[in-house]
Each structure stands twice: as C-alpha cells, then as structure tokens.
Amino acid sequence: MELLTISLLVLGITGLVAAVLLYFVAQKFKVEEDPRIDEVQEVLPGANCGGCGFAGCRAMAEACVKADSLDGLLCPVGGSDTMKKVGDILGLAAAEVAPKVAVVRCNGTCEVRPRTSQYDGTKSCQIENALYVGETACGYGCLGCGDCVKACPFGALSMDEQTGLPVVDEDKCTACGNCVKTCPRHIIELRNKGPKSRRLVVLCVNKDKGAPARKACLNACIGCGKCEKECTFEAIKVENNLAYIDDSKCRLCRKCEAACPTGSIHAINFPPRKVES
C-alpha cells in the first residue's frame, strides 16, 4: 500500500513539474498573432474553396494582413465588396474587380459530335482523358463524366442529360476556379460576366484545321478568320486554327456571331434578335 502511495505521489509531482515547465516554455516561445487576422477572417465568406490561391480563408486573411498592398489578392466568392471591407480593416485600398463566371467552352452536343466508341471504365474525365481521345473524334471537347460538377463546392454545375455537357448556374457560381483546375481538357474558363451578364464567347477549344475539326464536331471553330475580319475593335484573334474573343476589348456588337459559319460563337444572356418583317 505504501509503495502504491509513493508511486502516485511521484507521478503527481512529475506531472506537476512537467506542466510548469511546459507553461514557461510556451510563454517564452509563443508567437504573438496580429489581431487583425481574426477581423479579416470574420468578413471573408468562410467558403474555404481555395479560389483565392490560399489553403483557406484563414490563410487568405494572414496573407492580406502581411501584405503592403491588396493588389493581386482577391476573394472570388466575396468579390469587390468583401475586399473593400478587408481594405477598410487594414487601411489599404482595394481595387474594383469585375465579377467573373465560369464558362464551358464546348458546344459539342450529342447531336453534332457523333460517338465513335464507348467508354466502359471508371466515370472520370481525368481517367478517360489519360487513356484515350474519348468517345468522340474530338480530342479537345468535353468528356461528359462530370468531374467539374463534383469539384464545385457551391452546386453551380450540373450535367445536361440531353447535350452531355455541363451547365453553369450563374446565380450560384462564385468563380472560385475549382472546375477550371479539375477539367483535364481545359474547356472551362473564368470570364468577365459583362454588362447585364452579357458576353460573347467562342464555345470551342479544338485546334485542329478546319476540315478535321468540322468532321469531329459540326459546331467546331474552323479557324476561317471571318469573325476576326468582321470585328472592328480587334477583340478577336485566330491562333492555332482557333478564334478567341478578348472580353476586355469586346463591345458586344454581335457582328462576329453573325459572321461565324459554324455557329461556334455564342451570345450569352442577350435578348432574342428582332426579326425583320
């Protein structure tokens, strides 16, 4: 009994001494954290989506507090309003940033892009892309397995069963960029929403020459250059047999849309054209 009592006393004293030592060591080596980090984190949306380029909102807050300027720092979920609040806390100016939205740059629906084979493996775009060209002759277009849908933490993407393509819900999209990083074909792009959410986009990423591209998909851009010649604002360039519209130069005149012979240029969220009588 005495041996048990002594053992308990020794253990108790040892634990107490260790606790005291740990306390003093912690006090000596503790790192004081800037209280503004908590303030900045409080105004961030808390999505922890990684769209800002950091591991989460806490890491983003730490980066903002340590920075001398907010240039290059952006919370895509909160946008300019959130960055303005961050700037007010830190006494820094936050530049106005145009809101962006994810755009699926593929219009190769099931009707215009015939299936040439059938994929029976794991339903994953990453895996299918690593194995072969895909179920159609277009080695650039959407594979339709829905990796982007799974990657979106905001439920802004869904697969259209009729077209076989992902659809973006613009009201839910925060431009976090997770879908962009996930797509192995790089067909999803973050673009400026544009005035009244209107924009013109070439919904194709096929870089093959005209005839092969057209054979693989009737909606493919054939690199003919008609849209580039039609644009008076120099907003369109054709490189590697593919047209691309620079949304910072585009004036939304829609002349390129009318000039495109394959219908690969789409006017998004525009009202229907008036039919001339």
Side-chain angles (χ1 to χ4, degrees):
M1 190 68 180
E2 290 182 4
L3 182 61
L4 179 60
T5 304
I6 293 172
S7 299
L8 290 174
L9 284 172
V10 170
L11 286 173
I13 293 171
T14 303
L16 180 62
V17 172
V20 172
L21 288 174
L22 287 173
Y23 171 78
F24 283 109
V25 169
Q27 291 300 311
K28 183 176 178 60
F29 293 102
K30 73 176 180 180
V31 178
E32 296 290 344
E33 191 174 65
D34 194 320
R36 295 179 299 171
I37 295 176
D38 289 329
E39 295 181 48
V40 172
Q41 186 180 7
E42 188 68 26
V43 300
L44 294 176
N48 293 312
C49 61
C52 57
F54 297 96
C57 293
R58 183 71 180 182
M60 171 66 170
E62 291 174 355
C64 290
V65 171
K66 293 176 182 177
D68 297 324
S69 167
L70 293 180
D71 293 344
L73 293 169
L74 173 67
C75 170
V77 179
S80 295
D81 292 340
T82 293
M83 294 310 297
K84 185 178 183 303
K85 293 177 183 178
V86 173
D88 291 341
I89 293 171
L90 303 177
L92 299 173
E96 190 72 24
V97 181
K100 293 182 178 291
V101 67
V103 175
V104 180
R105 292 184 56 213
C106 178
N107 194 38
T109 63
C110 300
E111 295 178 351
V112 299
R113 192 165 47 132
R115 178 181 289 180
T116 57
S117 63
Q118 184 171 342
Y119 174 68
D120 290 327
T122 303
K123 194 170 179 61
S124 165
C125 298
Q126 296 283 350
I127 296 175
E128 185 174 343
N129 183 63
L131 292 175
Y132 77 132
V133 70
E135 293 186 325
T136 72
C138 179
Y140 297 89
C142 177
L143 292 164
C145 294
D147 286 16
C148 54
V149 176
K150 299 171 187 174
C152 181
F154 304 99
L157 279 158
S158 60
M159 295 300 298
D160 187 317
E161 293 183 1
Q162 291 187 334
T163 64
L165 299 171
V167 178
V168 179
D169 185 334
E170 295 187 15
D171 293 331
K172 294 181 179 179
C173 179
T174 63
C176 69
N178 282 343
C179 56
V180 177
K181 299 172 188 174
T182 299
C183 179
R185 292 283 175 89
H186 309 293
I187 66 167
I188 304 180
E189 178 188 7
L190 296 182
R191 292 181 67 87
N192 289 336
K193 273 192 172 183
K196 297 182 179 179
S197 294
R198 296 173 184 174
R199 52 197 173 277
L200 285 155
V201 188
V202 179
L203 296 187
C204 181
V205 294
N206 194 326
K207 295 179 181 178
D208 289 337
K209 291 184 178 180
R214 181 75 167 166
K215 183 178 180 181
C217 177
L218 295 177
N219 287 343
C221 172
I222 56 176
C224 63
K226 290 184 178 180
C227 54
E228 185 177 13
K229 296 174 183 176
E230 191 69 30
C231 182
T232 57
F233 305 105
E234 298 183 346
I236 305 178
K237 294 294 180 185
V238 177
E239 294 181 354
N240 297 321
N241 308 307
L242 180 65
Y244 183 82
I245 300 175
D246 184 341
D247 53 16
S248 66
K249 296 180 180 179
C250 180
R251 296 296 177 267
L252 307 178
C253 67
R254 298 182 71 178
K255 291 181 180 179
C256 58
E257 180 194 16
C260 179
T262 64
S264 64
I265 297 179
H266 284 239
I268 301 175
N269 295 329
F270 283 80
R273 285 185 180 274
K274 294 182 180 180
V275 180
E276 296 182 3
S277 56

